[in-house]
Amino acid sequence: MDGNNIEPTGGCPVMHGGNTELGNSVTKWWPRSLNLDILHQHGARTNPMDPDYNHREAVKALDYDAVKADVRALMVDSQSWWPADWGHYGGLMIRLAWHSAGSYRMGDGRGGAGSGNIRFAPLNSWPDNASLDKARRLLWPAKKKYGNALSWADLIILAGNMAYESMGLKTFGFGFGREDIWGPEIDVNWGAENEWLAPSENRYGDLDDTSTLYNPLAAVHMGLIYVNPEGVNGNPDPDRTALHVRETFARMAMNDEETAALTCGGHTVGKAHGGGDHAHIGAEPEGCPVNSQGFGWDNPGMDGKATNAFTSGIEGAWTKHPTQWDMGYFDYLFGYEWELTKSPAGANQWKPVDMPEDEMPVDPTDPSVRRMPMMTDADMAMKVDPIYNEICQKFRADPAYFADTFGRAWFKLTHRDMGPKANYYGPDVPAEDLIWQDPIPKGATSYDVDAVKAKIASCGLSSAEMIATAWDSARTFRGSDKRGGANGARIRLAPQKDWTANEPARLAKVLGILEPIAAETGASVADIIVLAGVVGLEQSIRSAGHDIDVPFTAGRGDASDAQTDADSFDVLEPVACGFRNWQKEKYAVALEELMLDRAQLLGLTAAEMTVLIGGMRVLGTNHGDTKHGVFTKREGQLTNDFFVNLTDMANSWVPVDDGTYEIRDRATGAVKWTATSADLVFGSNSILRAYAEVYGQDDNAEKFVRDFVAAWTKVMNADRFDLVA
């Protein structure tokens, strides 16, 4: 049974040559190995665009008005293969935009609408996204017409905006500029569950304490965007549901007023679909047969009627006029008492008590028939929770205030992961600077960079102090939602200046010396911090015997306290920094895993992560000046000694009691260095060792320095969207 008895007949009764299914990974035998693929998921090998294609330039050339007009027109162009409710696709398109954007979570900035990820698994097949594949098919003619310049990511959100505007809401604004990816975002941890809609207990420390929802998750079940519309674990209890609504929306950076506005405004239009027995609904897009062409959740009984469409199992509209932006949601919610009932599909929902038939919405297919409206448990939470109730009463009394609050919250929801306004394009970009956009004033560029470098070089700071401060300033950047980074110099403001990761005493010393140089020269503090890192690096490079300059581009600005939402920056606090060999406390997740996660957020490749670690160690930039991983006798010089000594078989590697390791001379047993697992992984992981061996070669000492400088500059400029706008 070892396979040697297989006859080479050319037949293929069981096996074939290619490893073509995801479930058969060649590394499945070692599930604890680092998934370095998350660093290489969206590169040139997956992107079908020409190498010289520039999406920002393409977007600038779009006929924005024509695009908007075409998208608006398709809202009322009902198709027989998926008929529109009341002849209007507005509710469906809003749900598509919402669910695309609503996967965002503030904890790590992942999810959201910015990349068009809802096109791919698992999001395209989440139970909560049932039949949203239809919405995208309806949008295909617009995508096909405008081509590369109109990304799916932009089109999906634009469709939501045009839906609202076609139903009477003046939206707050819209920014083009999102760029598509071409495969799933495999870096996103959506939860550990192996089944859809598994009990919520699987992702809470205590289900009755909503703050114990595991970070960075923001949804209560695997496969849902927010909360279970039927109640916690499907058990109706609006008071309890309100607590979970508050927590999940807070994890999307929404306060109570924004949460209430989004809930009420989202349910002012459209309907839920659960009009019959859904036992025969077909498989989701990723699971359906090839002849379905990714057209999932087949409903054999639909018969060309919008009434029979399938989504959640909950059935009914929230308002009397579901294709109009009005105050009907509040009229229903507060104008009637509500009682628990079941949808035709068996889902828990609420119905009004003693509502006259003529106050009910008409059937979405047959206007001669009236249908009972409904509310979900989350809707009832708006009524029973005293905080939400007070907010809703304010909305009800002032329709203009409600519309404005909703419009702003909708804009925030759909643009939260786009980063600063430099990434927004088009005529509808609001002029107003919003604090959640982390605004940064434009910085000076006219100062004499060389003269400033000379002042920094003579200021008395060590190279390690300057390099570490520059790194700490830049490492907060997250490519997921384009927040953080060195621009703005928010490292000098609360809360960053007090983070343990930033060594507050050392940081205060460095800033106390650098800030006067900024004031004297006209450069921003943000530029001075990065430029000090350049000076420190060049000193270390020269002392190692190399003549390589570190690039620098001026123009960073300094944000103020008034431009900084301190609370929203709390989530950017590093709990570990593998690059500076530090973690705040012991975690269930290994330091090297946290390092890999940070590398992905910084947009680094595995090779870039490797070269940065090796350089940072020998530069002596460890947090607290620890010596773990400092495999060199030339600390402070940018050498490849880390890799030379890591790969030297004259050394042995011995664990000690505190979770660290001793590097001993194999012959004598003498301790030469100490290390963490974030150091030794570059020798133990076969992929990382391959990179380490490159940098440990005799002929690559200078290549190592060049590559380090390139990776360093990439991190320092990760948030310089102003340079490519």
Side-chain angles (χ1 to χ4, degrees):
M1 301 301 291
D2 60 2
N4 292 328
N5 60 342
I6 296 176
E7 297 182 7
T9 61
C12 187
V14 178
M15 301 176 65
H16 63 90
N19 195 9
T20 54
E21 294 186 354
L22 288 172
N24 194 35
S25 167
V26 297
T27 58
K28 66 182 180 182
W29 312 103
W30 306 279
R32 294 293 300 174
S33 294
L34 292 180
N35 181 16
L36 296 170
D37 287 346
I38 70 172
L39 304 181
H40 307 132
Q41 56 187 312
H42 306 306
R45 298 178 73 175
T46 63
N47 193 332
M49 297 296 105
D50 294 338
D52 61 350
Y53 174 74
N54 185 312
H55 186 65
R56 288 174 181 258
E57 292 302 318
V59 170
K60 292 176 186 178
L62 265 178
D63 185 338
Y64 302 112
D65 290 337
V67 173
K68 290 163 59 180
D70 283 351
V71 174
R72 185 167 182 152
L74 66 81
M75 296 295 160
V76 291
D77 186 16
S78 186
Q79 302 294 311
S80 61
W81 51 266
W82 195 258
D85 296 334
W86 304 282
H88 200 299
Y89 287 117
L92 177 64
M93 295 303 171
I94 289 165
R95 180 167 167 256
L96 174 67
W98 190 305
H99 284 222
S100 180
S103 59
Y104 172 80
R105 69 278 184 102
M106 187 171 65
D108 61 2
R110 292 185 169 98
S115 64
N117 191 33
I118 199 171
R119 296 180 293 153
F120 304 112
L123 277 73
N124 70 347
S125 296
W126 273 6
D128 213 11
N129 292 338
S131 295
L132 288 180
D133 55 333
K134 318 303 189 299
R136 216 167 57 78
R137 299 296 173 94
L138 290 164
L139 291 174
W140 170 241
K143 171 59 179 167
K144 181 175 181 292
K145 177 178 179 179
Y146 293 100
N148 298 335
L150 179 62
S151 67
W152 272 113
D154 275 348
L155 177 56
I156 287 168
I157 300 304
L158 180 65
N161 264 40
M162 291 299 98
Y164 271 118
E165 294 207 351
S166 70
M167 292 187 288
L169 174 72
K170 178 65 174 76
T171 59
F172 183 72
F174 181 81
F176 290 87
R178 303 166 186 83
E179 188 167 4
D180 288 334
I181 56 174
W182 303 99
E185 291 174 333
I186 62 174
D187 56 288
V188 188
N189 179 2
W190 296 114
E193 303 95 324
N194 292 317
E195 60 177 303
W196 300 125
L197 309 179
S200 291
E201 285 85 352
N202 288 276
R203 51 181 56 201
Y204 286 83
D206 179 357
L207 192 55
D208 292 321
D209 180 359
T210 58
S211 69
T212 64
L213 177 62
Y214 298 151
N215 281 317
L217 303 179
V220 304
H221 293 286
M222 172 66 78
L224 288 191
I225 300 295
Y226 304 120
V227 300
N228 191 324
E230 298 185 61
V232 178
N233 272 337
N235 300 310
D237 184 345
D239 285 295
R240 197 180 189 201
T241 292
L243 302 177
H244 288 263
V245 169
R246 180 166 286 113
E247 181 67 27
T248 60
F249 275 76
R251 293 188 177 213
M252 285 188 54
M254 299 293 176
N255 62 28
D256 282 335
E257 187 171 64
E258 291 167 328
T259 299
L262 285 169
T263 302
C264 303
H267 293 169
T268 291
V269 296
K271 71 179 293 286
H273 298 86
D277 182 9
H278 292 162
H280 303 295
I281 297 297
E284 69 281 359
E286 287 297 310
C288 63
V290 294
N291 59 286
S292 297
Q293 291 290 280
F295 201 70
W297 297 286
D298 180 52
N299 187 351
M302 186 177 174
D303 297 328
K305 295 181 179 180
T307 306
N308 297 330
F310 165 73
T311 54
S312 64
I314 292 172
E315 170 60 29
W318 289 269
T319 69
K320 186 176 182 178
H321 304 291
T323 63
Q324 296 177 21
W325 176 266
D326 58 22
M327 301 301 287
Y329 178 87
F330 301 106
D331 294 339
Y332 272 7
L333 184 63
F334 295 106
Y336 295 91
E337 295 299 317
W338 294 79
E339 61 183 9
L340 194 61
T341 187
K342 294 279 190 179
S343 77
N348 293 310
Q349 59 186 59
W350 297 79
K351 70 176 183 179
V353 177
D354 297 330
M355 176 178 280
E357 184 174 350
D358 62 359
E359 288 299 311
M360 300 177 184
V362 301
D363 181 89
T365 300
D366 184 354
S368 69
V369 177
R370 298 274 178 175
R371 299 290 185 186
M372 184 71 72
M374 65 82 208
M375 294 284 169
T376 71
D377 217 54
D379 295 303
M380 297 305 300
M382 298 296 110
K383 185 173 185 175
V384 306
D385 181 87
I387 297 172
Y388 288 140
N389 185 295
E390 183 179 356
I391 294 169
C392 288
Q393 296 298 344
K394 185 178 181 180
F395 290 157
R396 191 182 186 192
D398 191 342
Y401 182 75
F402 171 54
D404 180 68
T405 305
F406 173 81
R408 288 170 174 271
W410 174 259
F411 182 79
K412 180 179 179 180
L413 171 74
T414 53
H415 292 74
R416 188 70 174 85
D417 61 345
M418 286 186 70
K421 284 172 64 175
N423 294 328
Y424 292 34
Y425 296 89
D428 300 319
V429 176
E432 182 179 344
D433 287 328
L434 305 166
I435 195 166
W436 57 263
Q437 296 172 321
D438 304 335
I440 301 170
K442 188 176 181 179
T445 58
S446 59
Y447 60 89
D448 187 332
V449 172
D450 289 335
V452 176
K453 288 175 68 176
K455 287 182 178 293
I456 294 171
S458 61
C459 73
L461 291 172
S462 70
S463 295
E465 288 173 322
M466 293 188 287
I467 294 167
T469 302
W471 177 263
D472 290 351
S473 182
R475 69 171 168 199
T476 53
F477 177 75
R478 308 191 305 196
S480 53
D481 58 359
K482 303 175 180 61
R483 297 190 71 204
N487 199 2
R490 286 188 167 92
I491 195 172
R492 77 197 198 286
L493 306 176
Q496 296 191 37
K497 65 182 180 63
D498 299 314
W499 288 346
T500 303
N502 290 339
E503 297 178 280
R506 188 261 309 159
L507 176 61
K509 171 192 173 183
V510 174
L511 290 177
I513 293 171
L514 295 183
E515 286 181 330
I517 296 176
E520 180 184 347
T521 62
S524 66
V525 177
D527 266 357
I528 292 293
I529 291 171
V530 174
L531 194 54
V534 169
V535 171
L537 272 181
E538 289 182 344
Q539 290 173 349
S540 299
I541 292 168
R542 305 282 190 271
S543 65
H546 302 285
D547 185 17
I548 295 173
D549 293 329
V550 180
F552 173 80
T553 304
R556 297 170 183 83
D558 292 334
S560 66
D561 283 309
Q563 295 169 315
T564 302
D565 182 6
D567 290 342
S568 79
F569 276 90
D570 283 338
V571 297
L572 271 67
E573 180 181 2
V575 297
C577 182
F579 295 89
R580 296 190 63 208
N581 225 347
W582 167 84
Q583 57 185 9
K584 195 171 184 178
E585 55 188 82
K586 292 291 185 181
Y587 302 103
V589 179
L591 179 57
E592 60 268 29
E593 294 180 76
L594 296 170
M595 174 183 67
L596 175 61
D597 183 66
R598 173 53 50 188
Q600 195 280 328
L601 291 171
L602 286 170
L604 299 173
T605 66
E608 289 167 337
M609 179 181 72
T610 301
V611 76
L612 282 169
I613 289 289
M616 295 286 281
R617 294 293 190 270
V618 300
L619 289 169
T621 58
N622 278 356
H623 188 281
D625 198 34
T626 67
K627 301 304 176 185
H628 299 317
V630 186
F631 306 154
T632 184
K633 296 179 180 179
R634 301 180 286 174
E635 184 177 342
Q637 299 180 24
L638 189 56
T639 68
N640 65 341
D641 287 358
F642 176 88
F643 302 109
V644 170
N645 292 307
L646 180 74
T647 56
D648 189 348
M649 288 304 296
N651 300 318
S652 62
W653 315 89
V654 182
V656 293
D657 293 339
D658 62 353
T660 60
Y661 303 82
E662 290 179 345
I663 289 76
R664 299 177 182 175
D665 185 285
R666 192 178 293 273
T668 68
V671 177
K672 300 169 71 174
W673 300 290
T674 60
T676 68
S677 57
D679 301 308
L680 298 194
V681 73
F682 291 92
S684 64
N685 180 280
S686 60
I687 298 172
L688 295 179
R689 188 176 185 93
Y691 294 121
E693 289 171 348
V694 169
Y695 292 121
Q697 293 173 186
D698 293 346
D699 62 345
N700 279 338
E702 184 171 317
K703 172 181 169 58
F704 161 75
V705 176
R706 292 198 310 271
D707 289 1
F708 181 92
V709 168
W712 173 271
T713 305
K714 179 177 179 177
V715 172
M716 294 299 120
N717 289 339
D719 62 345
R720 293 299 305 277
F721 301 108
D722 56 305
L723 300 178
V724 292

